């Protein structure tokens, strides 16, 4: 499970985020405790705790005292918004800049995107 070279806590956070985005984890659903997560994946509990804390700070998880961690009601929307911003910054903005640099009109870029979207539909 943990092998892409990035820190394990980040991989845990990304996996939980992916489960929220896919609907595998629903709003207000309880997630495994840090100790359960650590035991299941054979990792240090502090590593799991760091991932969970990061998700709490991002608004993806919240803690119910004495009960554990749960998926925030708006976690899916929070994640979609953040990933949407990252998509535009990482993909669309550089693509538009490159198109401008080589003289491709914006309407041609949009036309191509529409063609690709229609082909995949």
């Amino acid at each position: 499970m943990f092998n892409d070279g990035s820190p394990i806590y980040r991989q845990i956070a990304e996996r939980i985020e992916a489960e929220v985005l896919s609907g595998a984890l629903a709003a207000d659903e309880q997630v495994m405790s840090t100790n359960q997560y650590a035991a299941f994946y054979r990792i240090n509990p502090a590593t799991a705790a760091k991932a969970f804390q990061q998700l709490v700070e991002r608004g993806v998880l919240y803690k119910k005292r004495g009960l554990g961690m749960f998926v925030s009601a708006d976690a899916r929307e929070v994640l979609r918004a953040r990933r949407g911003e990252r998509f535009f910054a990482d993909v669309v903005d550089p693509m538009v800049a490159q198109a401008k640099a080589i003289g491709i009109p914006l309407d041609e870029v949009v036309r191509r995107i529409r063609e690709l979207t229609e082909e995949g539909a």
Side-chain angles (χ1 to χ4, degrees):
M1 173 184 169
F2 307 113
N3 59 8
D4 76 355
S6 66
I8 292 173
Y9 76 89
R10 190 173 296 149
Q11 293 179 57
I12 293 168
E14 288 172 357
R15 173 168 281 215
I16 292 171
E17 287 179 347
E19 290 175 353
V20 170
L21 281 169
S22 73
L25 283 173
D28 295 315
E29 185 173 341
Q30 187 171 14
V31 297
M32 282 192 281
S33 72
T34 55
N35 288 333
Q36 289 171 322
Y37 213 93
F40 186 80
Y41 290 108
R42 296 188 175 130
I43 59 171
N44 187 319
T47 301
K50 187 171 182 177
F52 282 43
Q53 182 57 39
Q54 191 175 66
L55 292 168
V56 168
E57 291 169 2
R58 292 180 186 168
V60 176
L61 297 180
Y62 67 95
K63 185 174 185 172
K64 284 187 181 178
R65 191 173 196 142
L67 295 176
M69 294 286 197
F70 294 80
V71 177
S72 298
D74 61 347
R76 199 169 193 188
E77 292 76 28
V78 166
L79 290 170
R80 282 186 176 162
R82 195 175 88 238
R83 289 198 180 182
E85 290 170 10
R86 194 167 61 208
F87 171 76
F88 281 103
D90 295 348
V91 177
V92 176
D93 296 351
M95 177 187 65
V96 170
Q98 181 69 15
K100 283 182 179 180
I102 59 178
I104 299 174
L106 182 59
D107 62 334
E108 197 170 320
V109 173
V110 172
R111 180 187 55 75
R112 179 68 176 145
I113 291 170
R114 285 193 176 123
E115 284 174 4
L116 291 171
T117 303
E118 291 169 5
E119 289 174 9

